[in-house]
Amino acid sequence: MKLALAQLRSKTRRADGAADLTQDPAGVPGPSALRVGAQSVELPGGVCASFAVAGYPREVTAGWLEPLLTYPGRLDMSLHIEPIPPLIAAQRLRRQLARLESSTRANTEHGRLADFGAEAAADDAAELAASLARGHGRLFRLGLYLTVHATDHTELSAEVERVRALAASLLLDAQPTTFRALQGWTSTLPLGTDTIRMRRAFDTSALAAAFPFTSPDLHPRLGETPVVYGLNAYSSGVVLWDRFEQDNYNSVTIARSGAGKSYFTKLEAARLMCHGVHVAVIDPEDEYALLADAVGGTRIALGSPQVRFNPFDLPPGQGEDTLIRRALFIQTLIATMLGEPLTPTGRAVLDRTVIATYAKAGVTADPRTWKRPAPVLADLAAQLDHAATGKDGTDADREAAAELAGRLAPYVAGSYRGLFAGATTTRPEGHLIVFSLRDLADEVRPVGMLLALDAIWRQVANPADRRRRLVVVDEAWTLMQQSEGAKFLYRLAKSARKHWTGLAVVTQDAADLLSSDLGRAVIANSATQLLLRQAPQVIDQIADTFGLTEGERAFLLAADRGEGLLCGGGTAGERAAFCGHASPFEHHLATTDPAELATSTAAQPGIQPDEDGDPL
């Protein structure tokens, strides 16, 4: 049968001479002709044949359709899924059970041999009926159709044999759509129309195993926050991973400079935000500015002019001891500013002075006063001066107060006063919070980093605002060089799961991470481990730590940008080599290539390119 659309052309024309598309099918874009045969359809430039799967294996595993998706030729596959109402499903299962049991009884009464196929079907039907009765699953009707394409009939015959052999290896009975070739072809088009309607009943678990976009190398537990990491480097299947369904939600990403680790981390953070996950980032090199601006996040550039961050702000929802906890943090902050631990006398004087500073601002232990404007660091210095010149306390107390006031002078009236010169300018709130540390001087960086870490921990540990969160520490080797930053990483790696939070540690200095007790603790408490391209100098240490095979070692040494190895908890059975992919818009937000950023910042003069990193 030949459908020549050109022969159906209408002679009707509009008054202006243009074709009337309502009466002229030739004006509609489409193939000029289709020749429909008994088992094939001839298209312009090719020919195709379709199959409907009529038989399925009794038991399947996750990703069992992967060989069909990765077939090297042109093969279209479509899944048509229709839910069956529970009441109708229960009635049909009862009838099926009755037929199978009556057949078994009849065979027994007449002395025939047992039909083991019927017995297996009866057992499956009984188990499925019990599952439906308990509400553990549902029934669906699924139609699986295949369309093979080739350039001519000779090539099509060879492709059909290969596809049928592949289907047979999967225990699939693929039957040609004889005399329904056109319907078979249209059923595999992205139209959502099943004109063949050759379907099979599937329960929930079997349907989930038939999900086509699953890597056969991984068997992850997918919940509400699955993220596409990329395509499988060997089978071209999609690698999906849900960090919030693992034993813990932490991850560690190790790669050499330029391998795409920051790029990949930005992609995962952006895709997790689509699931409602709140993300906080410690950004040493201001690489997350584009992402924050694009998604309406909060970016706090510590060290920039006119940016203030008041450490005396009282966080909401922290309980009755909020003021006491803040006073203790101020003591830790002052010790970091001074660069050494406080003496017992100095700590006692500072504790009294901090409480007095809050009291002078009208903030007391009464929670009703906590909404009043908080004092600033200059108020604390004034209280220390008052304690140094007052008559209260001992000479040692007055001497300690004078010393503290003198050593805090650079942060109050000197070169380091910019960050503490007033009230907080930007509150760390929102679904994405980025603390940029690039503009901080080296002398002030430990202090600014401590302020950022404290703000993140207050949100993570707030019981009144419990939600999925991800804390990203990019270039973690810079944080580990600071004692307070190292303590924060260790505490978050140990207890983040209890607060529904994941810690994502990203570093290019594998030696520092693997040679320290802190680094090994972070790795041991990370159920998601990502290894991108590695340097030959550290590959032996990486291989020993993660138990890499010789093939995996060679893959990481020769990996291109964006290619990596996902290790689910470090076990050999939960590993997949993948290649990350991003849409053009995602690439624009995630790239750190200086050449690309120099071009894009011509239209956005407020964003400066970074000096390190490459796109995938």
Side-chain angles (χ1 to χ4, degrees):
M1 178 177 64
K2 184 176 182 180
L3 302 179
L5 297 182
Q7 297 177 1
L8 303 177
R9 180 175 301 168
S10 172
K11 302 299 184 181
T12 305
R13 294 282 175 175
R14 295 191 319 199
D16 58 0
D20 188 353
L21 296 183
T22 61
Q23 301 183 20
D24 188 1
V28 180
S32 59
L34 299 176
R35 184 182 296 274
V36 182
Q39 293 186 346
S40 63
V41 176
E42 293 185 17
L43 306 171
V47 61
C48 66
S50 300
F51 299 88
V53 176
Y56 296 84
R58 185 173 181 266
E59 295 182 1
V60 295
T61 58
W64 62 282
L65 289 178
E66 178 73 14
L68 291 176
L69 287 175
T70 57
Y71 180 73
R74 183 181 174 187
L75 175 64
D76 296 337
M77 184 180 72
S78 65
L79 290 171
H80 295 266
I81 303 169
E82 177 185 355
I84 302 176
L87 182 60
I88 297 178
Q91 294 173 352
R92 292 180 178 177
L93 280 175
R94 282 196 296 269
R95 287 198 295 266
Q96 180 71 6
L97 276 172
R99 286 194 294 267
L100 293 172
E101 290 178 358
S102 63
S103 175
T104 302
R105 291 195 187 99
N107 291 337
T108 303
E109 292 175 356
H110 292 83
R112 303 190 187 100
L113 293 177
D115 188 348
F116 298 106
E119 291 181 0
D123 293 339
D124 292 341
E127 182 179 351
L128 185 56
S131 176
L132 291 178
R134 294 182 175 90
H136 294 167
R138 294 189 58 183
L139 276 185
F140 301 85
R141 297 190 65 82
L142 180 137
L144 176 57
Y145 309 108
L146 309 172
T147 296
V148 186
H149 292 264
T151 56
D152 52 42
H153 284 280
T154 302
E155 181 183 350
L156 180 65
S157 299
E159 290 290 329
V160 164
E161 292 300 324
R162 296 191 189 99
V163 171
R164 296 196 70 175
L166 177 60
S169 67
L170 300 175
L171 302 182
L172 295 175
D173 183 13
Q175 296 294 331
T177 55
T178 306
F179 298 114
R180 303 184 69 186
L182 181 62
Q183 290 83 348
W185 174 58
T186 56
S187 295
T188 57
L189 292 177
L191 303 176
T193 303
D194 183 5
T195 54
I196 298 294
R197 300 195 66 82
M198 185 178 293
R199 301 189 178 183
R200 173 74 175 270
F202 274 59
D203 64 346
T204 305
S205 59
L207 182 60
F211 184 66
F213 306 114
T214 303
S215 173
D217 304 322
L218 293 173
H219 305 286
R221 299 187 298 270
L222 299 180
E224 300 178 1
T225 57
V227 171
V228 177
Y229 276 15
L231 298 181
N232 193 297
Y234 298 111
S235 65
S236 299
V238 178
V239 177
L240 283 173
W241 191 257
D242 189 348
R243 66 163 64 230
F244 288 97
E245 287 296 319
Q246 310 309 314
D247 296 335
N248 60 68
Y249 319 138
N250 301 338
S251 69
V252 58
T253 303
I254 303 176
R256 62 182 295 180
S257 178
K261 57 186 181 300
S262 296
Y263 188 106
F264 172 81
T265 304
K266 294 174 198 172
L267 292 183
E268 184 186 16
R271 292 165 182 174
L272 281 174
M273 281 189 285
C274 295
H275 294 291
V277 178
H278 282 211
V279 180
V281 182
I282 300 293
D283 183 11
E285 299 297 335
D286 199 25
E287 297 179 343
Y288 291 74
L290 280 175
L291 178 61
D293 294 340
V295 302
T298 301
R299 176 174 167 266
I300 304 176
L302 300 179
S304 297
Q306 309 303 321
V307 175
R308 309 286 182 263
F309 202 88
N310 185 14
F312 287 83
D313 290 337
L314 294 178
Q318 297 293 310
E320 298 179 354
D321 58 347
T322 298
L323 183 60
I324 297 176
R325 290 180 178 273
R326 192 85 315 231
L328 294 174
F329 171 74
I330 295 298
Q331 296 180 30
T332 303
L333 179 67
I334 297 301
T336 304
M337 289 178 173
L338 302 182
E340 61 182 17
L342 295 172
T343 63
T345 303
R347 183 174 294 277
V349 170
L350 182 61
D351 183 61
R352 290 194 301 267
T353 308
V354 169
I355 298 299
T357 303
Y358 275 112
K360 187 174 181 180
V363 180
T364 64
D366 187 356
R368 293 175 296 181
T369 65
W370 294 350
K371 295 184 179 180
R372 295 174 180 173
V376 295
L377 189 62
D379 298 329
L380 176 63
Q383 286 294 323
L384 287 172
D385 289 334
H386 178 73
T389 58
K391 297 181 180 180
D392 297 335
T394 63
D395 293 339
D397 292 343
R398 287 190 290 269
E399 183 179 351
E403 182 182 0
L404 287 174
R407 297 183 67 178
L408 286 179
Y411 296 95
V412 176
S415 303
Y416 306 152
R417 69 182 185 277
L419 188 60
F420 313 99
T424 300
T425 54
T426 304
R427 297 285 179 180
E429 300 172 349
H431 56 280
L432 173 63
I433 306 172
V434 178
F435 289 94
S436 176
L437 309 180
R438 187 181 63 177
D439 296 330
L440 279 175
D442 292 340
E443 295 79 4
V444 191
R445 178 163 293 210
V447 178
M449 191 174 295
L450 179 61
L451 291 175
L453 298 177
D454 174 69
I456 292 175
W457 181 256
R458 281 186 287 167
Q459 289 196 343
V460 168
N462 185 5
D465 187 22
R466 192 59 55 86
R467 64 179 74 228
R468 289 187 180 93
R469 299 182 189 274
L470 178 67
V471 178
V472 178
V473 181
D474 207 343
E475 301 297 347
W477 63 272
T478 62
L479 188 63
M480 293 176 60
Q481 294 177 352
Q482 310 296 334
S483 60
E484 293 300 328
K487 292 178 183 178
F488 171 82
L489 278 184
Y490 186 80
R491 178 173 58 175
L492 196 57
K494 289 286 188 178
S495 60
R497 183 186 63 84
K498 302 176 183 178
H499 300 288
W500 212 6
T501 299
L503 171 64
V505 175
V506 184
T507 185
Q508 66 181 8
D509 201 336
D512 284 352
L513 190 64
L514 299 177
S515 61
S516 65
D517 294 337
L518 169 64
R520 288 191 292 270
V522 171
I523 293 175
N525 288 277
S526 298
T528 304
Q529 300 164 358
L530 295 155
L531 303 175
L532 279 69
R533 186 173 58 188
Q534 301 295 324
Q537 293 79 4
V538 299
I539 190 62
D540 292 335
Q541 195 173 8
I542 293 287
D544 293 339
T545 302
F546 294 92
L548 302 182
T549 64
E550 290 297 327
E552 291 169 343
R553 286 167 52 103
F555 171 77
L556 292 179
L557 287 173
D560 291 331
R561 291 192 183 101
E563 292 185 347
L565 182 67
L566 168 62
C567 305
T571 58
E574 290 291 322
R575 298 191 177 187
F578 69 93
C579 179
H581 286 270
S583 67
F585 179 68
E586 289 177 324
H587 173 75
H588 170 69
L589 299 181
T591 182
T592 54
D593 182 9
E596 294 187 23
L597 291 178
T599 304
S600 63
T601 52
Q604 303 177 14
I607 302 174
Q608 298 298 324
D610 181 56
E611 298 180 357
D612 185 25
D614 293 293
L616 296 183

